[in-house]
Amino acid sequence: MAHMARSGSMQRVPRMRARQARAVITSIATGVAVLTVLVSALAVRAGDDPFAYAGGRFPAWLTVVGLILIGFIVGGLWATRTRPGASRGLAAAAIGSLLPLWAAWSWLPDRVQAGVLAATPFAIMVALVALNWSAPGSNNPRTAMRIVFALIVTSGVVHLLGYNPFADSGCALTCVHVLPLLDGLLSTRSVVVVSCSLTIVGAVLASSIVLKASDRHTPRMISGAVILALCLQVVSAALRLATWGDSAVAGLLLVLPAVSVALVAIAVCVVVSRTLRVRSAVDRLAARLSGPVAALSGVQGVHFAVPGEARWVDVAGQDATDLPGQDKYVVLSDESGPVLRLLVARGTDQGDLLAALTPATRLALQNAQLSAVAKARLADVQASQRRIVATSDTERRRIERDLHDGAQQRLVSVAFHMKIALSGADQSTSVRLAAAESQVRNALGQLRRLAHGIFPSVLADEGLAAALEELAAASDVPTTLDVRTRENVGMEAAMAAYATISAVLNSVEHPGPDTRAVILVDRDGDTLTVSAEIQAPGGTVLADFVAVADRVGALGGRLTTAEAATGTTVVTAVIPCGQ
């Protein structure tokens, strides 16, 4: 058990670390998005538009649209925080699509302005949103995605080490002169060709993976938005190759990755909002199902007809044949006859009441009727069980009286006459008469025990605690008895508890020296709990508690048994009780 506990703890540790890592990357992506919005808004207000390209400034409405899209990205990040793979993919894509916008901020160091442009290929990670949307265990092609990730990283590293913004005539965000580490080995144009080519290959491969391996539980809107986002990224990389040196489209090429990720974020927000809306509708329906009367204005109660019987029951399943204090009620029927009886307040219009019975309310009332009828049937079964147990107890007591007043008295008379005959018999006859008298007395003793019954008189005279102490003292099994209640628990409950403990103590055949019994009787409110633990290493436990379980069940209680590998049997009876 300790080993299992350690294994469970070891399994929880990686999960906690995964949640922490997911929270960190989501927070970083959110911070990048928020910082982009704040700095851009402040720069526009100050008259220094960070998105001023060689072809002129973006229109104000386009800037507002861009900020709205970034807001959707933030919303999508937090909407996917409960989905590990999707959350990581959208966070990485958001960072890759928004970091390049920082290249326009002249207050950043030159190397930072040039370096953030290398993050663009990471927008391809948006494919993970579709591949990991459903629960863990979805059909995620890890090998193929590792290839895509390798292409993304290679593209970013090549761009980071070999790109010089000053040598790119089409770069309008920043024209700082940053001497790259691969200067002399690769030209800036070659770096752009290699980076864009790797980006195109990675995006195409990711698109094919999403088309083939997206889980069937992934919403089509999510899969479609991811495919569209990857296509926009392919278009962006292809246009950059085709329009080398043209600064007129530089702004569009920079915005396309952010737009593609924003489309996926919008799809995520729509799907999550639909899920929440459906969940809210289900919760409202469940609330109406659990309380149909509350949904009807002017209704003070409801009664249900029991099918096949001329009686009515309330929501709790109790008989409700009479209508005390009710001035008005409405009966609803179907082809089988009366079904519902709505108890309405004075002045309630019957037409308005019937108009308020919407399909959802009717379904709620039908559900409540099934529950009420089931409760009534269960109460009937339990009452029948009580009557059967009471009848058997009464019959047993009658047989005990007949044995005591009939057969027992006759045997006593026979034993008395044999005693008289023994006094005047000769020696040979005396031996035979003595043997016969001994057998008669043995039969008389057995008959007295049989007439005594399973329940002693002390149970009715002095209560459950005294009867259990007498039972434990007479048992062949050493017993530790702990009765924590001395209150009157009711005769039926006391008889059930006594029968349970008696069956446990009598269940051991040939008790050994190590046989022990520990019995605890406690009361909590209207519930009497009997717990009997018996250890019989040297004996055999005959675990037959059917009759006792029937007696406990007749009172609405339950009896459970459990066996351990060490030869210990635990019997627990939970019995409703009262005064």
Side-chain angles (χ1 to χ4, degrees):
M1 183 177 299
H3 175 70
M4 293 175 61
R6 288 194 298 269
S7 299
S9 301
M10 293 175 64
Q11 292 176 358
R12 286 193 293 269
V13 170
R15 294 176 184 174
M16 294 178 59
R17 292 178 179 175
R19 286 196 295 267
Q20 293 174 355
R22 187 167 66 251
V24 169
I25 190 172
T26 301
S27 301
I28 293 175
T30 304
V32 170
V34 172
L35 187 59
T36 302
V37 171
L38 292 177
V39 175
S40 301
L42 292 175
V44 171
R45 185 175 180 180
D48 182 18
D49 191 348
F51 306 109
Y53 300 102
R57 294 176 182 271
F58 275 139
W61 65 269
L62 190 57
T63 302
V64 174
V65 170
L67 297 179
I68 293 175
L69 293 179
I70 293 176
F72 275 111
I73 291 177
V74 175
L77 288 172
W78 289 97
T80 59
R81 66 185 184 277
T82 58
R83 304 176 183 272
S87 176
R88 291 193 296 268
L90 187 59
I95 293 174
S97 63
L98 297 179
L99 270 183
L101 298 177
W102 294 13
W105 299 345
S106 57
W107 48 271
L108 289 175
D110 295 346
R111 288 198 174 274
V112 174
Q113 288 181 266
V116 293
L117 295 172
T120 303
F122 284 90
I124 299 176
M125 296 296 290
V126 76
L128 294 179
V129 177
L131 294 175
N132 295 311
W133 180 261
S134 58
S138 60
N139 186 18
N140 187 0
R142 296 186 178 183
T143 303
M145 282 307 300
R146 286 172 183 165
I147 296 175
V148 172
F149 185 72
L151 293 174
I152 294 172
V153 172
T154 303
S155 175
V157 170
V158 170
H159 196 284
L160 181 64
L161 299 180
Y163 181 73
N164 184 0
F166 192 76
D168 185 358
S169 57
C171 179
L173 280 177
T174 178
C175 294
V176 295
H177 180 64
V178 177
L179 192 64
L181 296 179
L182 298 181
D183 186 41
L185 297 178
L186 290 175
S187 64
T188 298
R189 177 169 184 144
S190 300
V191 168
V192 172
V193 170
V194 172
S195 178
C196 291
S197 299
L198 293 176
T199 300
I200 292 173
V201 173
V204 171
L205 180 58
S207 300
S208 63
I209 294 173
V210 172
L211 287 174
K212 294 181 180 179
S214 182
D215 193 271
R216 64 185 178 89
H217 297 294
T218 303
R220 293 183 179 180
M221 180 177 289
I222 299 291
S223 300
V226 170
I227 295 296
L228 179 59
L230 294 174
C231 291
L232 289 178
Q233 293 172 23
V234 170
V235 170
S236 176
L239 282 177
R240 189 178 184 189
L241 288 177
T243 59
W244 169 261
D246 186 0
S247 60
V249 297
L252 178 63
L253 298 180
L254 186 69
V255 172
L256 276 180
V259 172
S260 65
V261 176
L263 290 177
V264 177
I266 292 174
V268 168
C269 292
V270 171
V271 170
V272 172
S273 64
R274 286 179 179 176
T275 303
L276 294 176
R277 187 166 61 251
V278 172
R279 186 178 301 169
S280 177
V282 172
D283 291 340
R284 289 196 301 271
L285 178 60
R288 300 188 74 175
L289 291 176
S290 61
V293 178
L296 298 175
S297 176
V299 176
Q300 297 179 339
V302 59
H303 294 163
F304 304 99
V306 179
E309 301 181 27
R311 63 167 176 155
W312 297 81
V313 295
D314 58 14
V315 177
Q318 300 177 355
D319 287 337
T321 304
D322 299 330
L323 300 173
Q326 296 293 337
D327 297 332
K328 190 176 181 181
Y329 58 88
V330 177
V331 177
L332 304 181
S333 304
D334 58 12
E335 61 276 4
S336 62
V339 178
L340 301 174
R341 184 166 64 190
L342 300 177
L343 311 180
V344 298
R346 182 178 301 176
T348 301
D349 185 80
Q350 183 174 349
D352 295 339
L353 177 62
L354 296 178
L357 292 175
T358 62
T361 305
R362 291 180 181 273
L363 178 61
L365 291 171
Q366 292 175 1
N367 179 73
Q369 181 193 21
L370 294 175
S371 176
V373 171
K375 293 176 181 178
R377 300 291 193 198
L378 179 60
D380 293 342
V381 172
Q382 291 178 345
S384 176
Q385 288 179 321
R386 291 193 188 96
R387 289 194 297 271
I388 292 173
V389 172
T391 302
S392 64
D393 289 341
T394 302
E395 183 65 16
R396 186 179 60 253
R397 285 192 291 269
R398 184 189 66 79
I399 295 174
E400 292 171 1
R401 287 194 301 269
D402 291 344
L403 291 175
H404 181 273
D405 298 338
Q408 185 176 349
Q409 295 301 327
R410 291 178 182 274
L411 286 175
V412 170
S413 177
V414 170
F416 177 75
H417 284 87
M418 292 187 71
K419 186 73 173 177
I420 294 175
L422 183 62
S423 62
D426 55 22
Q427 185 174 2
S428 59
T429 305
S430 298
V431 174
R432 291 193 296 270
L433 286 176
E437 182 192 18
S438 176
Q439 292 180 0
V440 169
R441 292 193 178 278
N442 290 337
L444 182 60
Q446 294 178 1
L447 187 61
R448 284 173 176 171
R449 286 194 296 270
L450 182 62
H452 184 272
I454 187 175
F455 299 111
S457 57
V458 68
L459 181 63
D461 298 338
E462 301 181 29
L464 178 61
L468 292 180
E469 292 173 356
E470 183 179 280
L471 177 64
S475 176
D476 295 334
V477 178
T479 304
T480 301
L481 180 64
D482 184 6
V483 181
R484 298 181 180 179
T485 177
R486 298 287 173 172
E487 302 176 3
N488 181 18
V489 298
M491 193 58 192
E492 291 184 343
M495 292 170 64
Y498 185 91
T500 300
I501 298 175
S502 176
V504 170
L505 296 179
N506 294 328
S507 65
V508 180
E509 187 180 28
H510 307 303
D514 296 331
T515 303
R516 294 288 185 276
V518 179
I519 297 173
L520 172 63
V521 180
D522 193 11
R523 178 176 180 175
D524 184 9
D526 292 336
T527 301
L528 182 68
T529 302
V530 178
S531 177
E533 177 181 332
I534 187 163
Q535 302 174 357
T540 303
V541 177
L542 304 176
D544 185 8
F545 303 103
V546 177
V548 177
D550 291 342
R551 179 178 290 274
V552 173
L555 300 178
R558 65 182 184 275
L559 185 139
T560 58
T561 60
E563 295 184 4
T566 57
T568 301
T569 301
V570 180
V571 179
T572 304
V574 180
I575 308 169
C577 64
Q579 296 295 338

